[in-house]
Amino acid sequence: MMATGGGSFFDGIAEFFEDLQKGMAMPPSAASVAKAKKEKEEQEEMAFEGVWVMMNGLSGKMGLDVAAACLRKGFRIAPYAMSGSGSGEVSVADPKGGDPTTVTLVPSDDAEGCDKAVAELKRRCSGGSVVVVDYTTPSAVNANAEFYAKHGLNFVMGTTGGDRDALMSVTEGSGVYAVIAPNMGKQIVALQSAIDNMAREFPGSFGDYKLEITESHQSAKVDTSGTAKALAADFAKLTAEDYDVKSINKVRDTEGQLAFGVPEEHLAGHAFHTYSLKSNDGTVEFQFRHNVCGRLMYAEGTADAVEFLAGKAGSGADKRVYNMLDVLREGGM
Ligand SMILES: NC(=O)C1=CN([C@@H]2O[C@H](COP(=O)(O)OP(=O)(O)OC[C@H]3O[C@@H](n4cnc5c(N)ncnc54)[C@H](OP(=O)(O)O)[C@@H]3O)[C@@H](O)[C@H]2O)C=CC1
Ligand SMILES: O=C(O)C1=N[C@H](C(=O)O)C[C@H](O)C1
């Protein structure tokens, strides 16, 4: 750099031009600083050997809660996520107080953008294993599953609805590892297992009873509860009649929700279910209820499913497609 002590002004100028020629006099440009910073960050990302979670539906009600639960478990959130209409970047706060993660949203109908994002994600997250979590919307379930199958992406599908048979057959045919379940709440999964066991052990024991199901969710929920549909199949085995899931009483209006016991502050995010078995003569009634405010239990169960799935994929397990009963039975929750 330019000398100040000793030499004349003209010596200093000469030295400056010498340094300039050697490329030493110019401060690095903002672009080269940014490039070096990005390279350093990418090297650090590639050195991470843990689990990366691609959180599709990140901006939705489940998305950010699941991302936080995954960060609490020590996973990282992948730098890209598929969205519906959302684009741009979302900053995901670290519940442990670390730096936030910047995630670029790519709308799922931008096929080229999604392909590029997955290629880039596989490169940047190459040191660890990637698990996709899907909390999107019923109409996206099948197309998204086909996309994961095409790209060999292991996934946890929390989204309800869509064509569930097609979802299973595409996933099973693809060879990817997946956990697919309409409910990730540990205690609800345990209840599902108990009713399933009861139906196996005592089929038809409620032969002269009638099944009634009511579920209430936030008004934005578009489909009938996937949990209610799954439990209906088990409860129906206890009765003598088939149960049509179209009979499930769906509550989506504020007045009905409040009357069903939903606290006002949870109107925007709740899942209340009542399954009732009533004797035909009207003298006896059994009720089973799970009333959940907020989404914490589902978010934590999802993070457990991610851990379970990464373990199965890492060990090359023969069985590839699981549900939450498998996760619970194997002590994964
Ligand atoms: N298994 C379980 O335990 C639980 C399941 N669920 C289910 O999860 C699903 C999501 O619920 P919730 O978070 O409340 O819903 P929200 O409507 O709040 O969020 C959905 C998100 O999905 C995004 N999205 C919409 N279409 C697509 C698409 N084609 N590809 C990618 N992303 C898309 C939306 O993005 P954008 O804003 O950009 O359009 C939005 O961010 C529902 O099916 C619900 O029933 C919910 C709780 C627990
Ligand atoms: O949309 C929700 O909120 C929920 N969806 C799932 C369902 O459809 O059963 C699970 C839970 O009820 C919350």
Side-chain angles (χ1 to χ4, degrees):
M1 290 302 290
M2 206 158 88
T4 46
S8 70
F9 172 72
F10 290 105
D11 287 341
I13 293 282
E15 218 172 307
F16 173 73
F17 279 106
E18 251 177 58
D19 282 355
L20 195 62
Q21 273 180 329
K22 289 185 209 154
M24 292 161 57
M26 297 269 279
S29 68
S32 64
V33 170
K35 188 167 170 251
K37 186 168 173 266
K38 190 163 177 267
E39 277 170 8
K40 192 163 173 273
E41 279 169 5
E42 289 194 356
Q43 277 165 8
E44 198 272 325
E45 280 175 349
M46 285 179 194
F48 178 68
E49 293 176 349
V51 178
W52 288 97
V53 175
M54 182 191 203
M55 185 55 249
N56 292 342
L58 178 65
S59 311
K61 287 183 285 297
M62 282 301 291
L64 284 172
D65 283 0
V66 171
C70 288
L71 287 164
R72 281 195 292 273
K73 262 191 177 289
F75 308 150
R76 288 198 183 179
I77 303 304
Y80 297 94
M82 285 159 66
S83 63
S85 52
S87 57
E89 290 181 341
V90 171
S91 179
V92 180
D94 180 357
K96 292 176 174 169
D99 291 339
T101 307
T102 302
V103 179
T104 303
L105 301 180
V106 188
S108 66
D109 61 4
D110 174 4
E112 198 186 327
C114 288
D115 286 348
K116 275 191 189 155
V118 168
E120 184 61 1
L121 183 149
K122 285 184 176 175
R123 183 185 73 78
R124 286 173 59 179
C125 307
S126 56
S129 58
V130 174
V131 174
V132 176
V133 173
D134 190 300
Y135 276 105
T136 58
T137 193
S139 59
V141 163
N142 296 102
N144 286 3
E146 279 164 25
F147 180 83
Y148 309 146
K150 177 178 128 189
H151 288 279
L153 291 166
N154 301 326
F155 68 89
V156 173
M157 177 62 76
T159 312
T160 51
D163 180 337
R164 304 307 278 188
D165 292 338
L167 168 64
M168 289 306 283
S169 71
V170 163
T171 311
E172 277 163 356
S174 70
V176 302
Y177 289 88
V179 174
I180 301 173
N183 202 300
M184 309 290 180
K186 180 175 181 171
Q187 293 73 18
I188 296 170
V189 178
L191 174 70
Q192 267 183 283
S193 175
I195 303 300
D196 180 46
N197 287 338
M198 192 168 155
R200 278 171 210 271
E201 202 171 351
F202 309 113
S205 54
F206 285 76
D208 57 349
Y209 282 62
K210 193 172 161 33
L211 176 61
E212 284 175 13
I213 303 178
T214 302
E215 56 92 345
S216 172
H217 286 76
Q218 57 281 350
S219 59
K221 180 166 174 65
V222 290
D223 59 335
T224 301
S225 163
T227 312
K229 287 181 187 165
L231 270 151
D234 292 328
F235 276 116
K237 288 181 212 145
L238 291 166
T239 69
E241 288 172 11
D242 287 343
Y243 180 83
D244 185 348
V245 293
K246 289 199 188 91
S247 313
I248 295 172
N249 178 24
K250 239 178 4 174
V251 182
R252 297 287 182 270
D253 65 298
T254 304
E255 208 180 307
Q257 290 165 337
L258 293 172
F260 197 47
V262 180
E264 199 168 354
E265 64 273 27
H266 291 293
L267 286 171
H270 68 273
F272 277 34
H273 294 76
T274 299
Y275 311 85
S276 167
L277 288 163
K278 286 185 186 159
S279 68
N280 284 337
D281 65 5
T283 59
V284 185
E285 179 177 7
F286 285 74
Q287 277 197 356
F288 302 79
R289 278 189 192 181
H290 48 93
N291 290 349
V292 180
C293 294
R295 293 173 177 82
L296 188 63
M297 80 181 310
Y298 309 120
E300 287 182 342
T302 306
D304 292 336
V306 168
E307 187 169 38
F308 170 90
L309 200 64
K312 291 292 177 191
S315 68
D318 290 339
K319 180 174 159 70
R320 287 174 183 242
V321 184
Y322 301 89
N323 58 36
M324 287 306 281
L325 291 175
D326 298 312
V327 181
L328 184 62
R329 281 190 190 117
E330 291 197 21
M333 299 184 84

